[in-house]
């Protein structure tokens, strides 16, 4: 792909220098809009340099329902994105501290959770529980992956059960809602983290805005389902600017896992 | 393609109406003609029964959707009333408000106390509105959590009846954290040290369903459906045509047989000939037999064993390709 020297902010339409835009972690210097990151970019922006060790690379999606066009869509996403599925998982470090991490990528089939994403999230949480180190999950998903039917719905239960493992082992789990964090992902492992952070402006909701507005007697406010609206309703803990994410996570993780560190 | 169960069953309803007319005619006829008419009635009834049997043994995915949603189908309270005694509904979530889409409370099952929860649908417009079409708000799930905690505290087995199109997607439910409520309810089910049995009796609609379906044993009625998304919603996304629900239902493999095939439910519970709505009492009897049988096995296990086995059961769910020989099982399952 040829790197363009300039690009336009999709929010404020101002022209940006590509180099500067990347240095700013893809946050618009004019309007502050947080543009979506690929999982790999997120890892570089968040964890200690070269600290990420990817695991679970050996698993990939099947088409158990023989769902119309699923195989083609998967292959196209794999070719475009270079990853095998919508979640990358593994070990990482935050200021030298080992964490079990998973990062979702919206550009891969809308970050949807099928058997593979569910398995990777579950393994990330189980590894944290077993190794007694914190779990950090960056969410970015339209929800469960329709093409795997009920198998996808069951990933909600499976990942939720794994959160229970972390709780039992006294292991802190932090989830970060990035744009967008929706439906089946929001209604499972994402919403029951010990601490929930969100990026400014991220879309966060259970039902698509269209469905909500149809179903609701009350009118949806203009900032409906934004990180700011969700914060105001008490559903998350903090909105964190992308450039502050690393320090905020490091800080929180260290405070919550003092006991784990003390016992080695 | 029929859009409702009534439309689909119309030929059958017409036959039944004709039988009824013939019966009336026989009643009013003189003795000599009556016998002949009654013979014809019996013949029609035999044909009707055959027709029902054939029709219901060949239900396609979309017909299952229609049957699962049928407004004559027994709902949670119908099952509760025939299976349990002394059901005492408890209403409060102690947080915000009363939800009528999820009901629950303690009851006796063959003389032993249990905790029952379930989605409740309404049969007419007033009831439907009162029940919010069995679409629970956060309060419903939070009440369920409260009842589950109580079950755990007092050692009552938990039984949940699943029958919802979806969780309530309104703005107000969003503002009070419907997603968190569903996730927390699932989490609570994994914490329980008492036996739990869930039974999908009609519509197992996505997150709204799984929120109260993470049980030690998950059963599903023969003609019930269980799906990650309603077929109409799936069709709208796939083909931008919600009326292609029938095609989407086929693609989604939302039937009990498929759920069992994929290892996502433990047992398919048979329905009376022609569906649960033809004999609600028999349907409840069949459901009860299965619930009691599963509970009996689960009751022999310790709390920690129940928890561990529940975890392991859901842990295995999913199908993917793995190059790691350790995962070979996952690949072939």
């Amino acid at each position: 792909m040829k790197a363009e020297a300039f690009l336009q902010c999709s929010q404020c339409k101002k022209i940006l220098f590509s180099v500067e835009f990347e240095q700013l972690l893809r946050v618009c210097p004019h309007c502050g809009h947080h543009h979506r990151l690929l999982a790999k970019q997120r890892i570089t922006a968040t964890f200690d340099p070269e600290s990420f060790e990817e695991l679970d690379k050996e698993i990939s999606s099947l088409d158990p329902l023989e769902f119309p066009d699923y195989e083609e869509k998967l292959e196209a996403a794999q070719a475009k994105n270079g990853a095998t599925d919508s979640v990358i998982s593994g070990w990482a470090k935050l200021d030298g501290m080992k964490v079990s991490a998973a990062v979702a990528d919206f550009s891969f089939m809308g970050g949807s959770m099928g058997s593979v994403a569910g398995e990777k999230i579950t393994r990330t949480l189980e590894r944290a529980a077993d190794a007694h180190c914190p779990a950090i999950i960056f969410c970015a998903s339209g929800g469960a992956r329709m093409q795997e039917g009920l198998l996808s719905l069951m990933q909600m239960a499976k990942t939720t059960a794994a959160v229970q493992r972390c709780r039992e082992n006294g292991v802190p789990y932090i989830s970060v809602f990035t744009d967008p964090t929706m439906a089946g992902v929001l209604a499972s492992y994402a919403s029951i983290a010990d601490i929930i952070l969100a990026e400014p402006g991220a879309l966060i909701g259970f039902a698509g805005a269209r469905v909500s507005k149809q179903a609701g007697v009350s009118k949806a406010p203009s900032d409906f389902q934004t990180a700011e609206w969700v914060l105001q309703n008490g559903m998350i803990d903090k909105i964190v600017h992308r450039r502050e994410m690393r320090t905020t996570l490091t800080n929180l993780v260290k405070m919550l896992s003092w006991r784990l560190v003390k016992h080695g | 393609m029929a859009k409702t169960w009534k439309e689909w069953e119309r030929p059958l309803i017409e036959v039944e109406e004709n039988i009824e007319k013939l019966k009336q005619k026989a009643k009013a006829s003189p003795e000599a003609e009556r016998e002949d008419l009654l013979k014809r009635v019996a013949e029609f009834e035999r044909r009707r029964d055959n027709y029902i049997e054939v029709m219901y043994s060949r239900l396609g995915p979309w017909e299952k959707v229609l049957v699962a949603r049928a407004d004559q189908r027994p709902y949670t309270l119908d099952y509760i009333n025939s299976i349990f005694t002394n059901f005492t509904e408890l209403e409060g979530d102690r947080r915000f408000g009363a939800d009528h889409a999820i009901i629950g409370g303690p009851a006796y099952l063959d003389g032993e106390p249990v905790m029952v929860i379930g989605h409740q649908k309404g049969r007419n417009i007033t009831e439907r509105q009162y029940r919010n079409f069995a679409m629970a708000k956060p309060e419903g799930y939070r009440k369920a959590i409260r009842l589950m905690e109580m079950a755990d505290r007092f050692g009552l087995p938990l039984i949940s009846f699943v029958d919802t199109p979806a969780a309530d997607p309104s703005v107000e439910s969003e503002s009070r954290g419907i997603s968190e409520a569903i996730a927390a309810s699932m989490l609570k089910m994994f914490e329980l040290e008492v036996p739990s049995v869930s039974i999908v009796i009609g519509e197992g609609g996505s997150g709204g369903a799984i929120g109260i379906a993470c049980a030690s044993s998950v059963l599903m009625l023969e003609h019930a459906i269980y799906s990650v998304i309603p077929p109409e919603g799936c069709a709208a996304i796939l083909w931008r045509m919600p009326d292609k629900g029938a095609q989407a239902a086929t693609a989604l493999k939302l039937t009990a047989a498929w759920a069992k095939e994929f290892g996502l439910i433990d047992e398919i519970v048979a329905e009376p000939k022609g569906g649960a709505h033809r004999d609600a009492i028999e349907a409840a009897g069949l459901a009860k037999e299965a619930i009691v049988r599963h509970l009996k096995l689960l009751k022999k296990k310790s709390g920690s064993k129940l928890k561990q086995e529940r975890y392991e059961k859901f842990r295995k769910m999913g199908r993917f390709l793995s190059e790691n020989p350790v995962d070979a099982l996952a690949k072939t399952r």
Side-chain angles (χ1 to χ4, degrees):
Chain A
M1 213 195 318
K2 198 178 113 219
E4 302 285 344
F6 299 97
L7 55 94
Q8 193 181 30
C9 174
S10 59
Q11 189 75 15
C12 69
K13 312 289 176 205
K14 291 219 168 95
I15 302 295
L16 314 170
F17 290 105
S18 292
V19 177
E20 188 196 6
F21 181 59
E22 295 301 332
Q23 279 168 353
L24 294 170
L25 308 173
R26 304 179 75 86
V27 177
C28 174
H30 305 288
C31 69
H33 180 65
H34 283 52
H35 293 254
R36 285 174 187 152
L37 291 184
L38 299 173
K40 290 205 168 107
Q41 294 169 324
R42 175 79 59 189
I43 288 164
T44 312
T46 312
F47 302 110
D48 292 359
E50 310 293 313
S51 74
F52 188 75
E53 179 198 337
E54 189 180 347
L55 299 169
D56 314 320
K57 276 191 285 195
E58 71 282 6
I59 62 172
S60 55
S61 291
L62 286 169
D63 181 13
L65 272 63
E66 295 175 14
F67 199 92
D69 304 329
Y70 183 32
E71 252 180 272
E72 292 77 5
K73 276 181 188 160
L74 262 178
E75 276 167 23
Q78 283 162 349
K80 190 182 126 210
N81 187 282
T84 52
D85 216 279
S86 62
V87 169
I88 295 182
S89 51
W91 295 116
K93 279 183 179 167
L94 271 176
D95 194 22
M97 183 168 191
K98 192 174 175 179
V99 296
S100 179
V103 178
D105 198 325
F106 188 73
S107 72
F108 193 105
M109 288 190 76
S112 58
M113 174 165 70
S115 296
V116 167
E119 179 70 17
K120 287 188 176 187
I121 297 290
T122 305
R123 288 185 186 185
T124 298
L125 293 162
E126 283 181 340
R127 276 195 290 266
D130 292 345
H132 293 272
C133 65
I136 293 177
I137 300 182
F138 280 88
C139 310
S141 177
R145 186 172 292 170
M146 188 172 72
Q147 290 88 344
E148 289 184 31
L150 195 58
L151 287 156
S152 294
L153 188 71
M154 293 304 147
Q155 304 310 308
M156 290 173 66
K158 183 165 115 182
T159 54
T160 297
V163 174
Q164 169 60 16
R165 278 269 160 112
C166 286
R167 290 192 175 192
E168 275 181 351
N169 286 14
V171 161
Y173 156 43
I174 300 180
S175 68
V176 185
F177 296 175
T178 72
D179 186 55
T181 298
M182 303 292 294
V185 164
L186 187 65
S188 62
Y189 67 88
S191 285
I192 42 174
D194 295 298
I195 295 175
I196 303 174
L197 307 177
E199 285 201 327
L203 186 71
I204 298 161
F206 178 65
R210 202 163 29 90
V211 181
S212 303
K213 280 172 195 165
Q214 272 171 7
V217 199
S218 48
K219 264 180 84 178
S222 60
D223 60 348
F224 182 56
Q225 290 184 334
T226 60
E228 293 71 17
W229 184 80
V230 175
L231 178 77
Q232 213 175 58
N233 283 290
M235 295 306 145
I236 59 173
D237 295 301
K238 204 173 181 55
I239 293 176
V240 180
H241 192 285
R242 194 170 285 162
R243 71 167 176 266
E244 305 289 339
M245 191 58 80
R246 183 182 148 73
T247 37
T248 306
L249 280 174
T250 308
N251 215 344
L252 289 170
V253 149
K254 287 204 167 167
M255 287 191 275
L256 294 188
S257 48
W258 68 277
R259 215 163 46 179
L260 304 176
V261 175
K262 203 169 75 179
H263 296 300
Chain B
M1 177 185 107
K3 285 226 165 38
T4 66
W5 163 75
K6 276 212 178 93
E7 202 181 315
W8 176 72
E9 255 203 359
R10 188 175 297 146
L12 205 53
I13 292 164
E14 278 169 15
V15 172
E16 303 231 2
E17 280 169 1
N18 286 336
I19 291 174
E20 198 49 41
K21 270 186 212 155
L22 218 53
K23 273 187 185 166
Q24 296 300 330
K25 197 177 164 195
K27 243 187 207 170
S29 305
E31 196 83 31
E33 283 172 44
R34 193 179 298 161
E35 199 163 318
D36 191 44
L37 280 170
L38 285 176
K39 261 187 200 155
R40 279 175 64 195
V41 167
E43 171 61 18
F44 274 124
E45 281 179 337
R46 197 186 56 78
R47 275 199 218 167
R48 177 202 59 193
D49 291 347
N50 274 343
Y51 187 52
I52 288 173
E53 201 169 339
V54 171
M55 221 169 148
Y56 275 81
S57 61
R58 289 186 197 157
L59 290 185
W62 179 247
E63 284 76 40
K64 297 246 185 203
V65 172
L66 300 181
V67 172
R69 289 175 180 170
D71 54 7
Q72 292 307 309
R73 202 170 162 82
Y75 296 151
T76 293
L77 272 172
D78 302 310
Y79 286 98
I80 290 179
N81 290 335
S82 8
I83 296 175
F84 308 95
T85 52
N86 282 37
F87 172 65
T88 309
E89 189 180 351
L90 305 176
E91 294 209 36
D93 77 331
R94 308 281 170 79
R95 296 283 186 277
F96 176 84
D99 184 86
H100 303 117
I102 287 183
I103 57 166
Y108 281 115
L109 174 61
D110 290 337
E112 294 206 28
V114 294
M115 186 64 81
V116 188
I117 55 173
H119 302 102
Q120 180 62 39
K121 287 188 174 178
R123 231 173 271 285
N124 54 45
I125 292 185
T126 323
E127 265 182 37
R128 277 186 201 129
Q129 278 174 346
Y130 179 70
R131 298 293 179 191
N132 195 34
F133 306 89
M135 298 192 295
K137 293 178 180 173
E139 301 78 79
Y141 293 98
R142 287 173 185 145
K143 171 172 67 185
I145 292 171
R146 203 193 125 219
L147 297 180
M148 290 173 198
E149 276 171 356
M150 207 189 302
D152 214 22
R153 198 177 312 136
F154 300 116
L156 310 181
L158 178 80
I159 294 145
S160 69
F161 291 86
V162 179
D163 191 13
T164 178
D168 180 65
S170 69
V171 174
E172 57 156 328
S173 279
E174 289 275 359
S175 74
R176 294 196 294 276
I178 184 66
S179 301
E180 189 274 346
I182 289 172
S185 183
M186 287 193 285
L187 188 71
K188 181 52 70 188
M189 291 192 89
F190 283 108
E191 286 175 5
L192 297 181
E193 297 208 354
V194 290
S196 53
V197 177
S198 292
I199 178 162
V200 184
I201 56 170
E203 278 185 282
S206 61
I210 189 71
I212 61 164
C214 300
S216 301
S217 289
V218 180
L219 320 178
M220 190 168 165
L221 291 197
E222 192 183 344
H223 303 314
I225 55 166
Y226 204 175
S227 183
V228 68
I229 185 171
E232 293 87 348
C234 172
I237 294 171
L238 271 188
W239 303 296
R240 314 226 171 264
M241 282 186 271
D243 56 337
K244 286 207 174 182
Q247 263 164 276
T250 307
L252 285 167
K253 303 217 179 337
L254 41 60
T255 61
W258 277 109
K260 184 79 175 64
E261 162 80 25
F262 287 136
L264 308 179
I265 58 165
D266 298 292
E267 186 178 325
I268 300 172
V269 178
E271 292 187 25
K273 216 176 267 179
H277 56 284
R278 243 170 264 283
D279 192 341
I281 302 292
E282 194 193 338
L286 291 165
K288 181 178 178 176
E289 185 278 320
I291 292 168
V292 168
R293 183 160 38 78
H294 279 265
L295 269 187
K296 200 176 160 193
L297 287 176
L298 294 170
K299 274 183 183 167
K300 290 181 186 152
K301 296 172 182 174
S302 69
S304 57
K305 178 130 177 112
L306 285 170
K307 239 171 102 170
Q308 189 199 334
E309 288 186 357
R310 203 182 291 130
Y311 187 88
E312 282 163 6
K313 184 176 86 155
F314 282 89
R315 181 67 187 85
K316 286 192 209 117
M317 293 181 185
R319 286 202 179 186
F320 50 83
L321 191 70
S322 177
E323 283 156 31
N324 184 342
V326 179
D327 296 323
L329 250 179
K331 183 177 163 182
T332 50
R333 266 185 82 242

